[in-house]
Amino acid sequence: MRGLWRMRNKQAQHFLVFGFLLSRRIVWHQNLSAFLRFSGSDIVTVLPVNYYGQDMQHKQINAESLEVFTIGNVKEGSKWLWTHCLALYIISCSACVLLYFEYKSITKMRLAHITGSPPSPSHFTVLVRGIPWSPDHSYSDSVEKFFSTYYPASYVSHQMVYQAGTIDKLMKDAEKMYRMLKTIEPQCGKSSMPCCLCGGTTHSFKVLNNEAESVKSKTSVDGLQPTQREKERPAAFVFFRTRYAAVIAAQVLQSSNPMLWVTQLAPEPHDVYWSNLSIPYKQVWLRKIATLLGAIVFMLVFLVPVTFVQGLTQLDQLSHTFPFLKGILKQKYMNHLVTGYLPSVILILFLYAVPPTMMLFSAMEGNVSRSERKRSACIKILYFTIWNVFFVNVLSGSVISQLSVFSSVRDIPIQLAKAVPAQATFFTTYVLSSGWASLSCEVIQLFALLCNVFRKFILRIKEEPSNCALTFPHHTEIPRLLLFGLLGFTCSIMAPLILPFLLVYFFLAFLVYRNQILHVYVSKYESGGQFWPIVHNTTIFSLVLTQIIALGVFGIKRSPIASGFTIPLIFFTVLFNEYCRQRFSPVFKRSPAQVLIEMDRQDERWGTIEEIYNQLRSAYCQYPSISPDLSTAGNTSHHEDKESSQDPESLTPGNQLVKLNE
């Protein structure tokens, strides 16, 4: 039996690494493969057509401006515009084929992750919110009565969620201090050395062996705390016998009132965001609306620095607004610095305030897990980045032109077709300053390095902090990668000279992040590839946006044949996305019953059911080590005679099943 559990523990380690890589490698793999496929064809076919699109005297290639290599250099009615339409078809078909096979592969990996992962408390646990209040019963009694009545065959026990008070926080801090001091082994019982404060004799630390002694010492403290019933919140973790029963209970509407007895699958113990569990469920939808409005307001306020940055890229308007800069801007070096590199640097500095703000909004929404909070922040930052970095930069050349652009919403495709080639220089500089520079900062971990230097050399703290392990910043890195993918798609036929810079970035990003994931970052919870639907949907959006912009360009260049062939391409891309949504997306939202039933039967054959039940109680303990009475007071079970075979003090939330006593 021990060998069996060692084998399963080893499998758990392998699947931990797999689940950590599953939601991250796909972004770079998909983008790198796509750019390898269509960057070569664009550079070979589209770039020469753009360069020789006008009858003009060309300079040396290194002395030419970037506008010569864009589609704006092609004259109207040119017969060579069919090459751009052909390149658009190659890009779209290659991207759709890659997306299909990647979606299919990741779906298989997710199913393998579900079937091969060892038993986890989250597989058998359901989070219940919106428990109705009763003057005659506590929340714990209501939960026991409800699930004992409607789930008598599958209900095991439950664990209540409590409101953390000041005394609890103090006790938790004292427990951390005790753990630190416990590592110091005393050399003698008493010491005759005088105390540094009062001059008396010092005494070594004494660990109380009898639990009754510790209870007596904190009787006065316990008297200050409110009763257990007053501390209960309308939320609980309910444990079931099988995975299938937990999934059924999580997906079924429990009451005729949808705001009561709301169930969902519980997150992993290390993934639980305990502070949000105390939020009443009736406030969640209000919080989501409030945070959505706050994010929109923050997005609109951010238009001011973005339009200011784009004003710097317009040399004529900058000289007209600030006449004293005419002499400085005549210098070639200062001209390239102010209008080329400085705008992207200023925009990047402003964008550093976006991730913590969006993370705060996501925490205020009421998400019950850290992964949900980070995923929500990732989506907000993605929308924010695409809107401000791409659309606002493209549509706003200055504050004055901002009003004229948004006054004609119907002409957005035409406006994009005119503005995207003109912003090729800015986007190329942004890739160099935000993309390449961010990789170097990722390798050296600049922020962590500065914090470590400040702690060791300024504060003189030599000990390493206990929570120094870094987790992968999904909410900042995935939006950046998807933004660069959007720039690559939209500029592929408009300004293909940006593709080599993006190709180098994705290649270096694959190497850098692979090293960081394997050797630097630590996974605290599983994601199971939940970020891939975000990548897929954003890539489809980038494709459709590219096709719409190309349709506008072909209309401006008076090429009806190319415009006619672009319309069916948009239709087939949307149809392909709908097929993928019907074929693969449900696997990322729900677990198949066939797989869960087979896993339950396997646990019965291996004889691990009882051990799993014993582990459930200690997994979701809100105060695992400071108050065992509180952690078990809300625990009622139909199996009180079955005790855990492991030492309760050796259990911590989220631990997998490691060994089974003889």
Side-chain angles (χ1 to χ4, degrees):
M1 184 63 71
R2 286 186 175 181
L4 177 63
W5 279 105
R6 291 193 188 100
M7 179 185 68
R8 302 198 69 176
N9 188 32
K10 188 175 182 181
Q11 290 178 354
Q13 296 176 359
H14 287 296
F15 278 98
L16 183 65
V17 177
F18 159 76
F20 188 59
L21 294 175
L22 177 61
S23 62
R24 299 163 176 85
R25 76 162 186 91
I26 49 182
V27 183
W28 306 295
H29 180 268
Q30 184 265 339
N31 284 316
L32 184 60
S33 302
F35 278 100
L36 284 173
R37 285 179 177 269
F38 66 75
S39 61
S41 62
D42 281 351
I43 293 175
V44 172
T45 59
V46 176
L47 194 61
V49 175
N50 293 343
Y51 185 71
Y52 295 104
Q54 297 282 355
D55 296 332
M56 56 181 296
Q57 185 70 27
H58 288 282
K59 306 176 184 178
Q60 294 182 356
I61 294 181
N62 56 356
E64 294 282 5
S65 62
L66 291 180
E67 286 75 11
V68 180
F69 299 95
T70 64
I71 199 173
N73 194 48
V74 180
K75 60 183 179 181
E76 297 182 0
S78 176
K79 62 180 181 179
W80 291 101
L81 286 173
W82 66 268
T83 58
H84 296 79
C85 185
L86 178 62
L88 184 63
Y89 265 85
I90 295 175
I91 293 170
S92 301
C93 293
S94 301
C96 290
V97 170
L98 286 173
L99 284 173
Y100 173 78
F101 285 107
E102 197 71 20
Y103 218 148
K104 183 178 180 180
S105 174
I106 294 170
T107 302
K108 292 181 179 179
M109 294 170 65
R110 175 173 171 80
L111 292 176
H113 170 67
I114 295 175
T115 57
S117 59
S120 174
S122 59
H123 298 166
F124 304 86
T125 309
V126 171
L127 175 62
V128 183
R129 306 175 74 186
I131 303 173
W133 180 81
S134 174
D136 300 329
H137 303 88
S138 64
Y139 286 122
S140 179
D141 296 337
S142 299
V143 172
E144 181 186 4
K145 181 179 179 181
F146 181 86
F147 285 95
S148 299
T149 303
Y150 298 105
Y151 296 90
S154 57
Y155 169 66
V156 177
S157 63
H158 70 274
Q159 171 66 52
M160 295 302 302
V161 176
Y162 297 92
Q163 183 178 9
T166 305
I167 300 298
D168 298 323
K169 295 179 180 179
L170 291 176
M171 293 175 65
K172 192 172 183 179
D173 294 338
E175 176 66 22
K176 292 181 180 179
M177 184 66 67
Y178 165 74
R179 290 179 181 177
M180 296 174 59
L181 298 176
K182 190 177 180 180
T183 58
I184 305 175
E185 296 184 3
Q187 297 180 355
C188 59
K190 287 189 177 182
S191 175
S192 58
M193 296 295 294
C195 178
C196 299
L197 296 178
C198 60
T201 58
T202 61
H203 297 272
S204 59
F205 294 100
K206 179 182 179 182
V207 180
L208 298 178
N209 296 323
N210 190 1
E211 186 178 356
E213 299 180 14
S214 61
V215 172
K216 293 179 182 179
S217 62
K218 61 178 183 180
T219 304
S220 58
V221 177
D222 292 339
L224 300 177
Q225 300 189 59
T227 62
Q228 175 188 340
R229 182 174 179 178
E230 295 175 355
K231 292 170 64 68
E232 288 181 351
R233 306 304 300 165
F237 293 97
V238 181
F239 310 122
F240 291 86
R241 292 179 178 275
T242 61
R243 299 175 179 85
Y244 180 72
V247 170
I248 294 299
Q251 296 178 357
V252 173
L253 190 64
Q254 304 294 334
S255 173
S256 58
N257 185 356
M259 302 296 290
L260 299 178
W261 298 107
V262 181
T263 55
Q264 67 180 82
L265 283 176
E268 294 184 2
H270 280 300
D271 193 19
V272 177
Y273 197 62
W274 291 100
S275 59
N276 280 356
L277 291 180
S278 300
I279 299 175
Y281 184 77
K282 295 181 180 180
Q283 297 181 6
V284 173
W285 68 278
L286 292 174
R287 287 172 172 264
K288 290 184 178 181
I289 295 177
T291 53
L292 178 61
L293 295 177
I296 293 175
V297 171
F298 181 66
M299 190 180 300
L300 296 177
V301 171
F302 208 81
L303 293 177
V304 177
V306 174
T307 51
F308 171 74
V309 165
Q310 274 303 310
L312 295 178
T313 62
Q314 307 295 328
L315 182 60
D316 297 334
Q317 296 181 4
L318 191 63
S319 301
H320 179 73
T321 307
F322 304 100
F324 61 90
L325 295 178
K326 291 183 178 180
I328 300 177
L329 295 178
K330 288 182 180 180
Q331 302 178 11
K332 187 176 181 179
Y333 173 77
M334 294 300 298
N335 184 8
H336 290 307
L337 179 63
V338 174
T339 62
Y341 188 70
L342 188 61
S344 61
V345 174
I346 295 177
L347 181 60
I348 292 171
L349 293 178
F350 277 107
L351 287 175
Y352 277 121
V354 176
T357 304
M358 294 303 177
M359 185 65 78
L360 178 62
F361 285 154
S362 300
M364 294 171 58
E365 278 183 348
N367 295 312
V368 296
S369 64
R370 301 180 185 276
S371 58
E372 288 182 4
R373 182 187 60 165
K374 189 169 287 189
R375 186 174 180 273
S376 177
C378 176
I379 296 175
K380 290 182 178 63
I381 296 173
L382 178 62
Y383 291 160
F384 184 93
T385 307
I386 291 177
W387 167 251
N388 284 284
V389 176
F390 182 77
F391 285 103
V392 178
N393 276 289
V394 165
L395 298 177
S396 64
S398 64
V399 178
I400 299 177
S401 63
Q402 176 77 14
L403 300 177
S404 62
V405 168
F406 284 97
S407 62
S408 56
V409 181
R410 297 180 180 179
D411 298 333
I412 285 181
I414 305 298
Q415 297 286 351
L416 292 175
K418 293 179 180 179
V420 169
Q423 295 296 326
T425 304
F426 172 78
F427 288 144
T428 304
T429 309
Y430 184 80
V431 171
L432 294 175
S433 57
S434 177
W436 291 18
S438 66
L439 294 178
S440 60
C441 295
E442 177 65 31
V443 172
I444 63 177
Q445 292 290 329
L446 185 60
F447 181 75
L449 180 63
L450 294 177
C451 292
N452 190 31
V453 171
F454 179 79
R455 185 178 65 254
K456 287 190 174 182
F457 296 98
I458 304 299
L459 301 179
R460 299 293 182 178
I461 301 176
K462 301 301 181 181
E463 294 79 8
E464 293 292 338
S466 59
N467 56 350
C468 61
L470 301 176
T471 57
F472 189 84
H474 298 85
H475 59 292
T476 59
E477 302 307 315
I478 291 181
R480 180 186 291 117
L481 293 167
L482 294 178
L483 173 65
F484 290 153
L486 174 66
L487 296 180
F489 279 114
T490 53
C491 297
S492 56
I493 64 173
M494 311 297 169
L497 204 61
I498 196 177
L499 295 181
F501 299 98
L502 286 172
L503 183 62
V504 173
Y505 167 76
F506 280 116
F507 179 75
L508 294 177
F510 177 78
L511 298 178
V512 169
Y513 285 112
R514 184 177 183 273
N515 174 77
Q516 299 296 96
I517 289 172
L518 293 176
H519 302 102
V520 177
Y521 293 116
V522 177
S523 177
K524 293 184 178 180
Y525 46 82
E526 298 286 349
S527 59
Q530 288 291 340
F531 286 90
W532 170 251
I534 301 176
V535 177
H536 176 85
N537 295 332
T538 306
T539 306
I540 293 294
F541 171 78
S542 303
L543 275 177
V544 174
L545 180 63
T546 302
Q547 295 160 3
I548 293 175
I549 295 175
L551 183 63
V553 170
F554 294 149
I556 293 175
K557 297 297 181 180
R558 297 178 182 178
S559 178
I561 298 178
S563 300
F565 277 98
T566 306
I567 295 176
L569 188 61
I570 300 174
F571 173 76
F572 283 118
T573 303
V574 176
L575 189 63
F576 166 76
N577 180 48
E578 182 64 22
Y579 170 76
C580 290
R581 191 178 69 86
Q582 297 292 337
R583 170 63 179 84
F584 303 113
S585 181
V587 180
F588 292 83
K589 297 179 181 179
R590 296 183 297 270
S591 300
Q594 178 183 4
V595 174
L596 298 178
I597 294 174
E598 290 295 332
M599 295 175 66
D600 292 333
R601 291 176 179 175
Q602 186 179 13
D603 290 337
E604 291 180 0
R605 289 193 301 266
W606 286 6
T608 59
I609 298 297
E610 295 300 328
E611 185 66 21
I612 294 173
Y613 294 163
N614 295 330
Q615 290 284 341
L616 289 177
R617 297 187 183 183
S618 60
Y620 290 94
C621 184
Q622 192 170 0
Y623 308 103
S625 58
I626 61 174
S627 112
D629 296 334
L630 181 61
S631 65
T632 59
N635 234 340
T636 58
S637 175
H638 292 222
H639 309 277
E640 295 296 336
D641 55 328
K642 298 183 177 91
E643 298 295 337
S644 176
S645 60
Q646 290 183 331
D647 184 8
E649 294 184 358
S650 65
L651 299 176
T652 56
N655 278 352
Q656 302 290 344
L657 304 181
V658 179
K659 62 180 180 179
L660 186 65
N661 291 342
E662 290 181 329

Coordinates of all heavy atoms in Angstrom, one line a residue, residues 474-529:
H474 N 0.1 35.6 -14.8 CA -0.7 35.4 -16.0 C -1.3 36.7 -16.5 O -1.4 37.0 -17.7 CB -1.9 34.4 -15.7 CG -1.5 33.0 -15.3 ND1 -1.1 32.7 -14.0 CD2 -1.3 31.9 -16.0 CE1 -0.8 31.4 -14.0 NE2 -0.9 30.9 -15.2
H475 N -1.8 37.5 -15.5 CA -2.6 38.7 -15.9 C -1.8 39.8 -16.6 O -2.4 40.7 -17.1 CB -3.2 39.2 -14.6 CG -2.2 39.6 -13.5 ND1 -1.4 38.7 -12.9 CD2 -1.9 40.9 -13.1 CE1 -0.7 39.4 -12.0 NE2 -0.9 40.7 -12.1
T476 N -0.4 39.7 -16.6 CA 0.4 40.7 -17.3 C 1.0 40.1 -18.5 O 1.1 40.8 -19.5 CB 1.5 41.2 -16.3 OG1 2.3 40.1 -15.9 CG2 0.9 41.9 -15.1
E477 N 1.5 38.9 -18.5 CA 2.2 38.3 -19.6 C 1.3 37.9 -20.8 O 1.6 38.1 -21.9 CB 3.1 37.1 -19.1 CG 4.1 37.5 -18.0 CD 4.9 38.7 -18.4 OE1 5.4 38.7 -19.5 OE2 5.1 39.6 -17.6
I478 N 0.2 37.2 -20.4 CA -0.7 36.7 -21.5 C -1.3 37.9 -22.3 O -1.3 37.8 -23.5 CB -1.8 35.8 -20.9 CG1 -1.2 34.5 -20.4 CG2 -2.9 35.5 -21.9 CD1 -2.1 33.5 -19.8
P479 N -1.8 39.0 -21.7 CA -2.2 40.1 -22.5 C -1.2 40.7 -23.4 O -1.4 41.1 -24.5 CB -2.7 41.1 -21.5 CG -3.1 40.3 -20.3 CD -2.1 39.2 -20.3
R480 N 0.1 40.8 -22.9 CA 1.2 41.3 -23.7 C 1.4 40.4 -24.9 O 1.6 40.9 -26.0 CB 2.4 41.4 -22.9 CG 3.6 42.0 -23.7 CD 4.9 42.0 -22.9 NE 4.9 43.0 -21.8 CZ 5.0 42.7 -20.6 NH1 5.1 41.4 -20.2 NH2 5.0 43.6 -19.6
L481 N 1.5 39.1 -24.7 CA 1.7 38.2 -25.8 C 0.5 38.3 -26.9 O 0.8 38.3 -28.1 CB 1.8 36.8 -25.3 CG 3.1 36.5 -24.5 CD1 2.9 35.2 -23.8 CD2 4.3 36.5 -25.3
L482 N -0.7 38.4 -26.4 CA -1.8 38.4 -27.3 C -1.9 39.8 -28.0 O -2.3 39.9 -29.2 CB -3.1 38.2 -26.5 CG -3.3 36.8 -26.0 CD1 -4.6 36.7 -25.2 CD2 -3.2 35.7 -27.1
L483 N -1.4 40.8 -27.4 CA -1.3 42.1 -28.0 C -0.3 42.1 -29.2 O -0.6 42.6 -30.3 CB -1.0 43.2 -27.0 CG -0.7 44.6 -27.7 CD1 -2.0 45.2 -28.3 CD2 -0.1 45.6 -26.6
F484 N 0.8 41.5 -29.0 CA 1.8 41.4 -30.0 C 1.3 40.5 -31.2 O 1.6 40.7 -32.3 CB 3.1 40.8 -29.5 CG 3.8 41.8 -28.6 CD1 4.7 41.4 -27.6 CD2 3.7 43.1 -28.8 CE1 5.4 42.2 -26.8 CE2 4.3 44.1 -28.0 CZ 5.2 43.6 -27.0
G485 N 0.5 39.5 -30.8 CA -0.1 38.7 -31.9 C -1.1 39.5 -32.7 O -1.2 39.4 -33.9
L486 N -1.9 40.4 -32.0 CA -2.8 41.3 -32.7 C -2.0 42.2 -33.7 O -2.4 42.4 -34.8 CB -3.6 42.0 -31.7 CG -4.5 43.1 -32.3 CD1 -5.7 42.5 -33.1 CD2 -5.1 44.0 -31.1
L487 N -0.9 42.8 -33.2 CA -0.1 43.7 -34.0 C 0.4 42.9 -35.2 O 0.5 43.4 -36.3 CB 1.0 44.3 -33.2 CG 0.6 45.2 -32.0 CD1 1.8 45.7 -31.3 CD2 -0.2 46.4 -32.6
G488 N 0.9 41.7 -35.0 CA 1.4 40.9 -36.1 C 0.4 40.6 -37.1 O 0.6 40.7 -38.3
F489 N -0.9 40.2 -36.7 CA -1.9 39.9 -37.7 C -2.3 41.1 -38.5 O -2.4 41.1 -39.7 CB -3.1 39.3 -37.0 CG -3.0 37.8 -36.7 CD1 -2.9 37.4 -35.4 CD2 -2.9 36.9 -37.7 CE1 -2.8 36.0 -35.1 CE2 -2.8 35.6 -37.4 CZ -2.7 35.1 -36.1
T490 N -2.6 42.2 -37.8 CA -3.1 43.4 -38.5 C -2.0 44.1 -39.4 O -2.4 44.7 -40.4 CB -3.6 44.5 -37.4 OG1 -2.5 44.7 -36.5 CG2 -4.8 43.9 -36.7
C491 N -0.8 44.0 -39.0 CA 0.3 44.6 -39.8 C 0.9 43.6 -40.8 O 1.9 44.0 -41.5 CB 1.4 45.2 -38.9 SG 0.8 46.5 -37.8
S492 N 0.4 42.4 -40.9 CA 1.0 41.4 -41.7 C 1.0 41.8 -43.2 O 2.0 41.6 -43.9 CB 0.4 40.1 -41.5 OG -1.0 40.2 -41.8
I493 N -0.1 42.3 -43.7 CA -0.1 42.8 -45.1 C -0.1 44.3 -45.2 O 0.2 44.8 -46.3 CB -1.4 42.2 -45.8 CG1 -2.6 42.8 -45.2 CG2 -1.4 40.7 -45.8 CD1 -3.9 42.5 -45.9
M494 N -0.3 45.0 -44.1 CA -0.2 46.5 -44.2 C 1.2 47.0 -44.1 O 1.6 47.8 -44.8 CB -1.1 47.1 -43.0 CG -2.5 46.5 -42.9 SD -3.5 46.9 -44.4 CE -4.9 45.8 -44.0
A495 N 1.9 46.4 -43.1 CA 3.3 46.8 -42.9 C 4.1 45.6 -42.4 O 4.4 45.4 -41.3 CB 3.4 47.9 -41.8
P496 N 4.4 44.7 -43.4 CA 5.1 43.4 -43.0 C 6.5 43.5 -42.5 O 7.0 42.5 -42.0 CB 5.1 42.7 -44.4 CG 5.0 43.7 -45.4 CD 4.2 44.9 -44.8
L497 N 7.0 44.7 -42.4 CA 8.4 44.9 -41.9 C 8.4 44.7 -40.4 O 9.5 44.5 -39.8 CB 9.0 46.2 -42.3 CG 10.5 46.3 -42.3 CD1 11.0 45.4 -43.4 CD2 10.9 47.8 -42.6
I498 N 7.3 44.7 -39.7 CA 7.3 44.5 -38.3 C 7.4 43.0 -38.0 O 7.7 42.6 -36.8 CB 6.0 45.0 -37.7 CG1 6.1 45.2 -36.2 CG2 4.8 44.2 -38.1 CD1 4.8 45.8 -35.5
L499 N 7.1 42.1 -38.9 CA 7.1 40.7 -38.6 C 8.5 40.1 -38.2 O 8.5 39.3 -37.3 CB 6.6 39.9 -39.8 CG 5.2 40.2 -40.2 CD1 4.8 39.4 -41.5 CD2 4.2 39.9 -39.1
P500 N 9.6 40.5 -38.8 CA 10.9 39.9 -38.2 C 11.1 40.3 -36.8 O 11.6 39.5 -36.0 CB 11.9 40.6 -39.1 CG 11.2 40.9 -40.4 CD 9.8 41.2 -40.0
F501 N 10.7 41.5 -36.4 CA 10.9 41.9 -35.0 C 10.0 41.0 -34.0 O 10.4 40.6 -33.0 CB 10.6 43.4 -34.8 CG 11.5 44.3 -35.6 CD1 11.1 44.8 -36.8 CD2 12.7 44.6 -35.1 CE1 11.9 45.6 -37.5 CE2 13.6 45.4 -35.8 CZ 13.2 46.0 -37.0
L502 N 8.8 40.8 -34.5 CA 7.9 40.0 -33.7 C 8.4 38.5 -33.7 O 8.2 37.8 -32.6 CB 6.5 40.0 -34.2 CG 5.7 41.3 -34.0 CD1 4.4 41.3 -34.7 CD2 5.4 41.5 -32.5
L503 N 8.9 38.0 -34.8 CA 9.4 36.7 -34.8 C 10.6 36.5 -33.8 O 10.6 35.5 -33.1 CB 9.9 36.3 -36.2 CG 10.3 34.9 -36.5 CD1 9.2 33.9 -36.2 CD2 10.8 34.8 -37.9
V504 N 11.5 37.4 -33.8 CA 12.6 37.3 -32.8 C 12.0 37.4 -31.4 O 12.5 36.7 -30.5 CB 13.6 38.5 -33.1 CG1 14.6 38.5 -32.0 CG2 14.2 38.3 -34.4
Y505 N 11.0 38.2 -31.2 CA 10.5 38.3 -29.8 C 9.9 37.0 -29.4 O 10.1 36.6 -28.2 CB 9.4 39.5 -29.8 CG 8.6 39.4 -28.5 CD1 9.1 39.9 -27.3 CD2 7.3 38.9 -28.5 CE1 8.4 39.8 -26.1 CE2 6.6 38.8 -27.3 CZ 7.1 39.3 -26.2 OH 6.4 39.2 -25.0
F506 N 9.0 36.4 -30.2 CA 8.4 35.2 -29.8 C 9.4 34.0 -29.6 O 9.2 33.2 -28.7 CB 7.3 34.8 -30.8 CG 6.0 35.5 -30.7 CD1 5.6 36.4 -31.7 CD2 5.2 35.4 -29.6 CE1 4.4 37.1 -31.6 CE2 4.1 36.1 -29.4 CZ 3.7 37.0 -30.5
F507 N 10.4 34.0 -30.4 CA 11.4 33.0 -30.2 C 12.2 33.2 -28.9 O 12.4 32.2 -28.1 CB 12.4 33.0 -31.4 CG 13.5 32.0 -31.3 CD1 13.3 30.7 -31.5 CD2 14.8 32.4 -30.9 CE1 14.3 29.7 -31.4 CE2 15.8 31.5 -30.8 CZ 15.6 30.1 -31.1
L508 N 12.6 34.4 -28.6 CA 13.2 34.7 -27.3 C 12.3 34.5 -26.1 O 12.7 34.0 -25.1 CB 13.8 36.1 -27.3 CG 14.9 36.4 -28.3 CD1 15.3 37.8 -28.2 CD2 16.1 35.5 -28.0
A509 N 11.0 34.8 -26.3 CA 10.0 34.7 -25.2 C 9.8 33.2 -24.9 O 9.7 32.8 -23.8 CB 8.7 35.3 -25.6
F510 N 9.8 32.3 -26.0 CA 9.7 30.9 -25.7 C 10.8 30.4 -24.9 O 10.6 29.6 -23.9 CB 9.6 30.2 -27.1 CG 9.5 28.7 -26.9 CD1 8.3 28.1 -26.6 CD2 10.7 27.9 -27.1 CE1 8.3 26.7 -26.5 CE2 10.6 26.5 -27.0 CZ 9.4 25.9 -26.7
L511 N 12.0 30.8 -25.2 CA 13.2 30.3 -24.4 C 13.2 30.9 -23.0 O 13.4 30.2 -22.0 CB 14.5 30.7 -25.1 CG 14.7 30.1 -26.5 CD1 16.0 30.6 -27.1 CD2 14.7 28.6 -26.5
V512 N 12.9 32.2 -22.9 CA 13.0 32.8 -21.5 C 11.9 32.3 -20.6 O 12.2 31.9 -19.5 CB 12.8 34.4 -21.7 CG1 12.6 35.0 -20.3 CG2 14.1 34.9 -22.4
Y513 N 10.7 32.3 -21.1 CA 9.6 31.8 -20.2 C 9.6 30.3 -19.9 O 9.2 29.9 -18.9 CB 8.2 32.2 -20.8 CG 8.0 33.7 -20.7 CD1 7.9 34.5 -21.8 CD2 7.8 34.3 -19.4 CE1 7.7 35.9 -21.7 CE2 7.5 35.6 -19.3 CZ 7.4 36.4 -20.4 OH 7.2 37.8 -20.3
R514 N 10.2 29.6 -20.8 CA 10.3 28.2 -20.5 C 11.3 28.0 -19.4 O 11.1 27.1 -18.5 CB 10.8 27.4 -21.8 CG 10.9 25.9 -21.6 CD 11.4 25.3 -22.9 NE 11.4 23.8 -22.8 CZ 12.4 23.1 -22.4 NH1 13.5 23.8 -22.0 NH2 12.4 21.8 -22.3
N515 N 12.4 28.7 -19.4 CA 13.3 28.6 -18.3 C 12.7 29.2 -17.0 O 12.9 28.6 -15.9 CB 14.6 29.5 -18.6 CG 15.5 29.6 -17.5 OD1 16.3 28.6 -17.1 ND2 15.6 30.7 -16.8
Q516 N 12.0 30.2 -17.1 CA 11.4 30.8 -15.9 C 10.3 29.9 -15.3 O 10.2 29.7 -14.0 CB 10.7 32.2 -16.2 CG 11.7 33.2 -16.7 CD 12.7 33.6 -15.7 OE1 13.8 33.1 -15.7 NE2 12.4 34.5 -14.8
I517 N 9.5 29.2 -16.1 CA 8.5 28.3 -15.6 C 9.1 27.1 -14.9 O 8.6 26.6 -13.9 CB 7.6 27.9 -16.8 CG1 6.7 29.1 -17.2 CG2 6.7 26.8 -16.4 CD1 5.9 28.9 -18.4
L518 N 10.2 26.6 -15.5 CA 10.8 25.4 -15.0 C 11.6 25.6 -13.8 O 11.8 24.7 -12.9 CB 11.6 24.7 -16.1 CG 10.8 24.1 -17.3 CD1 11.7 23.5 -18.3 CD2 9.8 23.0 -16.8
H519 N 12.3 26.8 -13.7 CA 13.3 26.9 -12.6 C 13.1 28.1 -11.7 O 13.8 28.2 -10.7 CB 14.7 27.1 -13.3 CG 15.1 26.0 -14.2 ND1 15.0 26.1 -15.6 CD2 15.6 24.8 -13.9 CE1 15.5 25.0 -16.1 NE2 15.8 24.1 -15.1
V520 N 12.1 29.0 -12.0 CA 11.9 30.2 -11.2 C 10.6 30.2 -10.5 O 10.5 30.3 -9.3 CB 12.1 31.5 -12.0 CG1 11.9 32.7 -11.2 CG2 13.5 31.5 -12.6
Y521 N 9.5 30.1 -11.3 CA 8.2 30.2 -10.7 C 7.7 29.0 -10.1 O 8.1 27.9 -10.4 CB 7.2 30.6 -11.8 CG 7.4 32.0 -12.4 CD1 7.8 32.2 -13.7 CD2 7.3 33.1 -11.6 CE1 8.0 33.5 -14.2 CE2 7.5 34.4 -12.1 CZ 7.9 34.6 -13.4 OH 8.1 35.8 -13.9
V522 N 6.9 29.1 -9.1 CA 6.3 28.0 -8.3 C 4.8 28.0 -8.5 O 4.1 29.0 -8.4 CB 6.7 28.1 -6.8 CG1 6.0 27.0 -6.0 CG2 8.2 28.1 -6.6
S523 N 4.2 26.8 -8.8 CA 2.8 26.7 -9.0 C 2.1 26.4 -7.6 O 2.5 25.4 -7.0 CB 2.5 25.6 -10.0 OG 1.1 25.4 -10.1
K524 N 1.2 27.2 -7.2 CA 0.5 27.0 -6.0 C -0.9 26.4 -6.2 O -1.5 25.9 -5.2 CB 0.3 28.4 -5.3 CG 1.6 29.0 -4.8 CD 1.3 30.3 -4.0 CE 2.6 30.9 -3.5 NZ 2.4 32.1 -2.7
Y525 N -1.4 26.4 -7.4 CA -2.6 25.8 -7.7 C -2.6 25.4 -9.2 O -1.8 25.9 -10.0 CB -3.8 26.7 -7.4 CG -3.6 28.1 -7.8 CD1 -3.9 28.5 -9.2 CD2 -3.2 29.1 -7.0 CE1 -3.8 29.8 -9.6 CE2 -3.0 30.4 -7.4 CZ -3.3 30.7 -8.7 OH -3.1 32.0 -9.1
E526 N -3.6 24.5 -9.6 CA -3.7 24.1 -10.9 C -4.6 25.0 -11.7 O -5.6 25.5 -11.2 CB -4.2 22.6 -11.0 CG -3.3 21.6 -10.3 CD -2.1 21.3 -11.1 OE1 -2.1 21.7 -12.3 OE2 -1.2 20.7 -10.6
S527 N -4.3 25.2 -13.0 CA -5.2 26.0 -13.9 C -5.8 25.1 -14.9 O -6.9 25.3 -15.4 CB -4.4 27.1 -14.6 OG -3.4 26.6 -15.3
G528 N -5.2 24.0 -15.3 CA -5.8 23.0 -16.2 C -6.1 23.5 -17.6 O -7.0 23.1 -18.2
G529 N -5.3 24.5 -18.1 CA -5.5 25.0 -19.4 C -6.6 26.0 -19.5 O -7.1 26.2 -20.6

